């Protein structure tokens, strides 16, 4: 990726676009992502997408420039808090971006809230961070855990499923995603007949959990797993032959475009919901996918890459809107809206969470590879009132 050249070129274009009014400021962005551990692959996709976003939208920076510094969050709340403090207090970052795990986001919330430095969340869906513990400094461009799963409860009940078994990793995101599904599914008349929460780190064998789930004879199993855990879970679900009797549904991170090619035939038949599917047929998504595949060895851009891409665009749009005024930049972050690869996107001023479409999609194994097709779209999905007082 020839980012320097692209940004240098972009600067000249930016003067013309802004009528030469932009002040020349350097914005230091602290990128905090897992580059090791169970979510390492997700971190790589988000960073790739972020770099592509800087290339595609850098022309809007005017005379301003963006520099990045990066650190590995390892899905570890303690070390990430220390690294964020260093980025803000020592490195003087103007904005932080990233954070994959809900637990990591929870661990740095108070520091970010008190620091005055904004954090653009590019994954972690922790409901509380745009709910009861919301902050003017936390702006989320990815999703909330409730937002992804609420539409699926209603949708699955409509498909005639009555008894569902839940499974997710035992940490904040796993519990919040299952609670959101439970709420809308039971409101629509469904029943949760059992649930299990295996440890996030180090679960290699889902066999005992799957045996216990099967014994309850559910109409369907609904899960959240992501990254390496999703690959292992889907392969074992298929390997144990459970899918023949009990269909698998979930939050769409389960069969992310980042690794569904690794799951292959094991993902066949799984239906899930997500804020982005590569099959979306719009010029914005075509530009994103073509750029991503050209830059990254033909790999499909995933929802994680889109979150990085849109985070870069959000920061650039806020710089543009605040005309290079750093004091105005923070407030501008939560006022940005645009149409990107996932469709229309805006930040809800009541919570600072993103408002966006949620897509229900199915995975089918055809001609030796998985094809993902959108079955249904819930438009403009916004978090219900959730205790946020900004
Ligand atoms: C989370 O911890 O919030 C999360 C991690 C991976 C995928 C989706 C959500």
């Amino acid at each position: 990726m020839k980012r320097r050249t692209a940004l240098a070129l972009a600067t000249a274009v930016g003067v013309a676009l802004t009528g030469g009014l932009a002040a020349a400021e350097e914005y230091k962005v602290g990128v905090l992502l897992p580059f090791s551990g169970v979510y390492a692959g997700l971190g790589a996709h988000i960073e790739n997408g972020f770099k592509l976003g800087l290339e595609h939208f850098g022309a809007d920076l005017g005379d301003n420039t963006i520099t990045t510094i990066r650190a590995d969050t390892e899905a570890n709340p303690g070390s990430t808090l220390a690294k964020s403090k260093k980025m803000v207090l020592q490195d003087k970052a103007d904005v932080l971006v990233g954070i994959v795990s809900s637990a990591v986001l929870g661990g740095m919330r108070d520091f970010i809230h008190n620091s005055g430095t904004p954090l653009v969340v590019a994954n972690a869906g922790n409901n509380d961070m745009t709910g009861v513990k919301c902050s003017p400094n936390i702006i989320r461009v990815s999703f909330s855990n409730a937002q992804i799963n609420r539409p699926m409860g209603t949708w699955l009940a409509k498909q005639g499923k009555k008894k569902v078994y839940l499974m997710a990793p035992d940490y904040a995101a796993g519990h919040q995603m299952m609670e959101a599904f439970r709420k809308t599914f039971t409101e629509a008349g469904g029943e949760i007949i059992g649930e299990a929460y295996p440890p996030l780190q180090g679960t290699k064998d889902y066999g005992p959990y799957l045996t216990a789930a099967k014994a309850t004879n559910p109409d369907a199993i609904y899960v959240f797993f992501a990254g390496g855990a999703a690959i292992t879970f889907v392969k074992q679900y298929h390997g144990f032959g459970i899918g023949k009797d009990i269909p698998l549904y979930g939050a769409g991170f389960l069969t992310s475009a980042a690794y569904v090619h690794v799951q292959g035939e094991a993902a066949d038949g799984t239906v899930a919901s997500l804020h982005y599917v590569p099959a979306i047929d719009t010029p914005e998504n075509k530009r994103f996918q073509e750029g991503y595949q050209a830059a990254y060895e033909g790999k499909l851009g995933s929802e994680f890459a889109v979150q990085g891409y849109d985070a870069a665009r959000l920061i650039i749009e806020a710089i543009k809107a605040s005309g290079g005024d750093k004091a105005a930049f923070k407030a501008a972050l939560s006022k940005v809206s645009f149409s990107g690869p996932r469709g229309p996107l805006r930040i809800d001023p009541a919570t600072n969470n993103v408002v966006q479409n949620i897509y229900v999609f199915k995975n089918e194994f055809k001609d030796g590879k998985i094809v993902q097709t959108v079955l249904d779209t819930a438009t403009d999905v916004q978090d219900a009132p959730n205790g946020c007082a900004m």
Side-chain angles (χ1 to χ4, degrees):
M1 308 266 306
K2 297 192 181 72
R3 202 184 122 219
R4 255 173 220 285
T5 322
L7 287 183
L9 180 71
T11 300
V13 178
V15 173
L17 281 174
T18 57
L21 293 175
E25 283 282 3
E26 181 191 327
Y27 289 79
K28 193 180 273 190
V29 180
V31 178
L32 283 159
L33 287 168
F35 299 115
S36 56
V38 66
Y39 288 152
L42 283 51
H45 270 245
I46 295 170
E47 190 179 45
N48 289 347
F50 188 78
K51 287 180 183 165
L52 187 67
L54 292 183
E55 271 214 9
H56 279 188
F57 303 104
D60 290 346
L61 278 171
D63 281 341
N64 306 295
T65 53
I66 285 182
T67 55
T68 55
I69 48 174
R70 72 201 281 276
D72 183 1
T73 58
E74 317 153 43
N76 180 330
S79 67
T80 303
L81 178 60
K83 287 171 189 173
S84 357
K85 284 186 177 170
K86 178 180 176 295
M87 280 184 170
V88 169
L89 302 174
Q90 205 171 311
D91 303 328
K92 309 279 180 220
D94 295 294
V95 54
L96 303 185
V97 65
I99 308 299
V100 162
S101 156
S102 281
V104 171
L105 181 57
M108 63 195 288
R109 185 266 171 202
D110 288 351
F111 170 67
I112 293 296
H113 180 68
N114 295 320
S115 74
T117 301
L119 165 67
V120 176
V121 179
N123 189 73
N126 194 327
N127 295 333
D128 295 345
M129 304 303 129
T130 50
V132 286
K133 299 202 101 185
C134 70
S135 164
N137 298 336
I138 299 177
I139 302 101
R140 183 157 48 206
V141 76
S142 47
F143 55 87
S144 75
N145 292 330
Q147 191 178 37
I148 298 289
N149 294 276
R150 269 189 298 130
M152 241 348 223
T154 318
W155 191 86
L156 207 53
K158 266 199 202 139
Q159 309 307 306
K161 305 291 178 212
K162 300 215 168 347
K163 297 179 297 162
V164 169
Y165 193 97
L166 306 178
M167 210 184 294
D170 187 13
Y171 81 110
H175 289 279
Q176 291 181 358
M177 294 211 196
M178 294 304 102
E179 279 320 305
F181 174 84
R182 185 200 312 274
K183 184 160 193 312
T184 54
F185 184 64
T186 54
E187 278 170 3
E191 186 190 351
I192 303 300
I193 57 168
E195 52 204 293
Y197 296 92
L200 170 65
Q201 308 272 8
T203 304
K204 299 254 180 301
D205 181 9
Y206 290 96
Y209 300 101
L210 290 172
T211 307
K214 192 172 179 219
T216 65
N217 195 26
D219 296 333
I221 297 190
Y222 186 85
V223 307
F224 158 65
F225 288 104
I231 297 174
T232 308
F233 180 84
V234 168
K235 283 190 165 179
Q236 293 184 0
Y237 198 88
H238 180 73
F240 293 146
I242 299 181
K244 282 193 215 97
D245 303 321
I246 309 168
L248 179 59
Y249 295 86
F253 311 104
L254 185 65
T255 56
S256 168
Y259 37 74
V260 74
H261 59 284
V262 181
Q263 295 165 330
E265 194 175 358
D268 186 40
T270 303
V271 175
S273 62
L274 211 50
H275 53 307
Y276 175 73
V277 187
I280 292 169
D281 188 12
T282 58
E284 292 84 8
N285 191 35
K286 190 165 184 283
R287 182 180 186 214
F288 164 74
Q289 281 294 345
E290 284 178 358
Y292 196 90
Q293 289 171 35
Y296 301 108
E297 297 150 355
K299 292 196 179 99
L300 265 186
S302 64
E303 69 278 16
F304 304 113
V306 168
Q307 291 161 192
Y309 184 78
D310 286 346
R313 183 167 178 188
L314 185 98
I315 290 170
I316 290 169
E317 297 262 359
I319 292 173
K320 182 178 154 191
S322 51
D325 175 347
K326 285 198 177 184
F329 165 68
K330 194 171 84 179
L333 281 168
S334 51
K335 298 193 173 62
V336 171
S337 67
F338 54 79
S339 259
R342 65 180 102 171
L345 164 167
R346 65 194 155 88
I347 303 296
D348 179 354
T351 63
N352 274 356
N353 192 48
V354 62
V355 182
Q356 59 189 338
N357 294 346
I358 301 296
Y359 305 93
V360 180
F361 67 99
K362 71 173 172 195
N363 292 278
E364 284 174 298
F365 193 64
K366 284 184 189 161
D367 302 327
K369 65 176 175 116
I370 286 287
V371 177
Q372 297 184 327
T373 316
V374 174
L375 300 177
D376 230 328
T377 304
T379 54
D380 212 36
V381 179
Q382 184 168 12
D383 272 344
N386 54 13
C388 171
M390 218 35 108

